[in-house]
Amino acid sequence: MERSGSGTSGGQGARPAAHELARYEALFAARTRGMKSSAMREMMALTERPDVISLAGGLPDTSTFPPDLYAHLMADVAMEATARALQYGPTEGMAATVRCIVEVMAAEGTRVDPSEVIVTTGGQQVLDLVCKTLIDPGDVIVAEAPTYPGAVPTFSAYQADVEQVDIDSDGMPIDALEETLDRLHAEGRRPKFIYTIPNFQNPGGVTMSLPRRRRLIDLARERELLILEDNPYGLLRYEGEQLPTLHTLDAEAAGRGGASDLVIYLGTFSKILAPGLRLGWSVAPRPVLEKLNLGKQGADLCSSPVTQMFVAAYFERGAEHGMGWQSYVERLRGLYRTRRDAMLDALEQHFGESASWTRPEGGLFIWATLDERIDTTDLLALARTSKGVAFVPGRAAFMDGQRGSSSMRLNFAGIPEPQIREGIRRIGSAISEQLGLLGSLTGSSPAAPRSAPETGESSPLADVLELPRRDGAAESRRRRDR
Amino acid sequence: MSEPLRVAVLQGGRSLERAVSLRSGARVRDGLGRLGHTAIAIDTDGGLIEQLIAARADVAFIALHGRDGEDGTIQEVLEALAIPYTGSAPAACVRATDKVLAKHLMRAAGIPTPPFFALHETVVKELGGAGALPSIEADLGFPLVVKPARGGSALGVKFARQGSELPGAMVGAFSYDFRILLERHIRGRDLAVSVIEDEAPEALPVLEAVPREEDFYDYESRYGIGMTTFLCPAELEPGTTARAQELALEVYGLLGCHGFARVDLMLEQDSGELYVLETNVVPGLTETSLLPQAADAAGIGFDELLARILASALKRR
């Protein structure tokens, strides 16, 4: 029975045991222990199937970008600058692309100096580089609860200790933030930065109010804390008034005509143009920027010149070819607004009395919270197999993987309206099954889905992120306030 | 040394344990290659029969966990195609995978298993099953463990520390199956005894899973590296080790397993009693899986383990 166990046998199919993880385990860095896969993520991998309507992804709708325009612009890049497009580029990004970034930020009322910008490979790279630059194992990051699910693995990989502050309908409550900071101070710990998505938060869908923005900046200046402002959706506002970015407010407070001291800004072309370009950027105080640049050299030398030149050509000549970048964003706004309304409408129809959800003024996501006895990870298992629909279970937005268990993130931007309605109907039917069971188990009658929205007063985004639904369920429900 | 075989490695599938299965499958194929066999990977996700016929395999190695791969479905197909396969035949698969059935069989045979009640969704929905809860609670006491009748992962497995937590836990479990199990929680140590069968079934050294953080290892800690510490052989009284192995062999025989299996047990802290929780007829074969670790503790390397499993598959014919 003795057989060669060292991978040297000559039989067909013999090759080194590349799958023998155990052989490599002793070599892995300690930080890989924090890089864990989860049952939930594995389950979500199973949802990427044609027969499943997925409201799970973070996808914008790239089918709306005119193919002709794409072809024209790529042809222009090829005809005019093939050699440059195929060459390495500068680490900080190409000047023409940086000009586009300055333009995008100006559209949100934020003035930046081109020399303070670094072009990155998607906004995600900014998260990675900022952690690489600032975080030693055990360092504290203060984030929102819930927070961007995609930031969770990044923070874990750098072994950060993440403190999450519960948000409400106006974003991160600064009182709660202050309490957290005081507590950390008492423990002799000081956060390296505060991570926030002020506009149409992912996954919460809520927006930080102007007074809170101001207080956050005051607090940061008072305590000399860095803020990582993640703003992928700022231009995707469907209603209400545009609010100044934290970067702008900090620059005003610093009073030096432009430069912000304490805000590291994260932007991306993914949501206003296309994620396939893998182009994002950061604007940061110069000393931080230099470190980000060094970090990026080690990571990928530079972001793709091909896509950077595509973006530059698009900003310069999109209008000539029939669609300027601003008109495209306008088109997206119109499309996503309709889809958001369709989803809100469908939620009203199918999610029943005991559910509540946010009513985002922009962005891509709605955060819905169900009866607290329903675990949305289990609900996803049921919904995916017997209903053919998927969403992101709320736990994904919490570092401990436990909280948020009765909430879910729903993306309304990526798929057409009929599918949104059908998807919500399917989730609703899974929810009523579970509520029916709960009703049978507790002796109460199951809550029936509401058939028609009530008219009346609107209580903007009240309490929907926490779970106070036992009492006053009706008040905390979202109303359509047209 | 057996002659080179064409081995169809069935892996993947649509169960919640797909990722684990793919890892088991990859490792099995590597090992088969080293043994001089030709491994043909078949993802049972679609077009299974066609792929199986096209593979012209001498034998099928089932590395599927969870639904289909463990509940006898795939085994029935292989029977129909007259392709020899590793592990247990359909009847044992059905008996082991259905925790309710397995526990009834164990109870009838006098094998200790934690006290339990099973509930069907229809009973809850249409027959007023909730009315039975108070007496179930009184009988079993808290904390209770609620699990779907079938499914090998910890998804849907929940604790209920008190009555108010029970409905939510039950609804969670019903997300995975029409039938669920309410079981008394045994506080103590998590043990696993793997059995491999060459000439006769043989119990491998007892393994203990020591969760690093939680009081119950969840799906993540079960398969993630570094979340749970495994001790093999477990440090037990000699009598306890012998008893655990004896119970494992009894259950293996009772369910009619073949080739290999893993029996999970609890050693109750206060009483020192052993209880059998469940039997896994397609134990994981990943780097962190328990069967390969137990085999290793018995001086059986991974490749030899594969060779034995394969030999037992061919012997059944």
Side-chain angles (χ1 to χ4, degrees), chain B residues 104-147:
Chain B
H104 278 300
L105 290 170
M106 288 193 282
R107 191 150 70 183
I111 294 172
T113 185
F116 70 99
F117 288 97
L119 274 178
H120 196 288
E121 203 177 72
T122 321
V123 172
V124 174
K125 274 185 185 162
E126 291 160 29
L127 304 178
L133 287 182
S135 102
I136 291 179
E137 291 169 16
D139 196 285
L140 297 179
F142 286 102
L144 279 174
V145 186
V146 182
K147 15 177 136 159

Side-chain angles (χ1 to χ4, degrees), chain A residues 3 7 9 12 15 17 19-22 25 33 37 39 42 46 49 373 375 378 381 384 434 440-441, chain B residues 1-2 14-16 18 27 30 34-35 37-38 45 124 130 158 170 172 175-176 219-220 225-226 287:
Chain A
R3 298 231 159 65
S9 79
Q12 314 114 291
R15 58 197 162 104
H19 300 292
E20 298 270 352
L21 189 54
E25 200 197 333
R33 288 189 184 272
S37 68
E42 286 177 12
L46 292 170
R49 296 172 170 281
R373 293 165 299 176
D375 184 323
D378 298 329
R384 151 194 105 81
Q434 301 220 315
S440 311
L441 285 167
Chain B
M1 174 105 185
S2 59
R14 294 195 64 163
S15 87
L16 293 171
R18 176 180 170 81
R27 196 154 183 254
D30 286 343
R34 286 190 299 268
L35 291 168
H37 302 303
T38 303
D45 196 3
V124 174
K158 286 199 167 64
M170 290 171 69
S175 306
Y176 302 85
Y219 187 88
E220 263 125 285
I225 288 180
E287 307 77 10

Side-chain angles (χ1 to χ4, degrees), chain A residues 409-460:
Chain A
R409 189 191 77 177
L410 300 161
N411 174 353
F412 56 77
I415 58 173
E417 213 182 299
Q419 284 186 53
I420 291 174
R421 291 182 182 277
E422 174 60 15
I424 294 295
R425 191 194 64 74
R426 292 183 188 182
I427 299 174
S429 117
I431 295 172
S432 12
E433 267 176 40
Q434 301 220 315
L435 286 176
L437 266 176
L438 275 173
S440 311
L441 285 167
T442 55
S444 62
S445 66
R450 276 158 48 127
S451 48
E454 287 164 24
T455 52
E457 129 291 347
S458 67
S459 57

Side-chain angles (χ1 to χ4, degrees), chain A residues 28-74:
Chain A
F28 288 145
R31 77 178 76 89
T32 62
R33 288 189 184 272
M35 301 178 180
K36 51 184 184 188
S37 68
S38 72
M40 193 192 61
R41 263 181 264 161
E42 286 177 12
M43 180 154 62
M44 288 181 56
L46 292 170
T47 62
E48 288 159 15
R49 296 172 170 281
D51 52 336
V52 172
I53 294 179
S54 181
L55 303 171
L59 310 185
D61 191 335
T62 47
S63 72
T64 52
F65 196 82
D68 283 359
L69 178 55
Y70 179 72
H72 276 303
L73 294 169
M74 281 315 235

